[in-house]
Amino acid sequence: MLRTQRIAVGATAGAFALALAVSGCGSGSGSGSASTTSPGTSSSSGSGAAEPAAGTLSTAKVDKVGTVVVDGKGFVLYRFDKDTAKPTPRSNCYGTCAAQWPPAPATGNVTVKGIDKSLVGTVTRNDGTKQLTLAGWPLYRYAKDDEPHEAYGQGVGGIWFAATPTGAKATTSDTGGSSGGGSGY
């Protein structure tokens, strides 16, 4: 009987931890963007906690994903289905979510290669830092992408996708999508 109770308590705690992790990205103050800049402009604000190179956005062909947007160091940039692009861009990835999916900081002027500059903009995060957007979608790196052109974040949780040069979700013939594992937040 005691063993059955321990199993039930353990299962309940595990389910609670999973629910907490999944809801982590939707939490926050709810006002993900105090202000935004129009596409094609960028701001000279301080960078966020993450330090991916944001000075250049370009395209790269990535195995099993296709042509996607990468930062200045060649790391794949992702979009999050729980964010909003229109009518006003807003990030909904904070706390634990932002640790796993660091926002692409908007610092200085952004140059583009293979991407329409009019699609590039910024959003102001709750902490006042600026984050790059593409077609209104806030952009992120994935902490488990250790090398340039890795896309372990593609399809994670069914809500994270590499961004295409138009800001759309990259689609892939590999329906597993979460080869890097991890939480979808």
Side-chain angles (χ1 to χ4, degrees), residues 92-107:
N92 288 305
C93 181
Y94 292 93
T96 305
C97 176
Q100 189 75 22
W101 299 91
T107 56

Side-chain angles (χ1 to χ4, degrees), residues 41-93:
T41 62
S42 59
S43 172
S44 300
S45 178
S47 65
E51 290 299 330
T56 301
L57 294 180
S58 59
T59 61
K61 184 148 178 86
V62 175
D63 289 342
K64 298 183 182 178
V65 181
T67 301
V68 298
V69 176
V70 295
D71 66 14
K73 292 183 179 178
F75 286 91
V76 173
L77 295 177
Y78 298 88
R79 51 175 273 179
F80 180 41
D81 280 352
K82 291 185 179 181
D83 285 346
T84 58
K86 294 181 182 180
T88 303
R90 187 177 80 212
S91 172
N92 288 305
C93 181

Side-chain angles (χ1 to χ4, degrees), residues 18-28 82 92-98 185:
L18 179 62
L20 184 61
V22 169
S23 67
C25 280
S27 66
K82 291 185 179 181
N92 288 305
C93 181
Y94 292 93
T96 305
C97 176
Y185 289 93

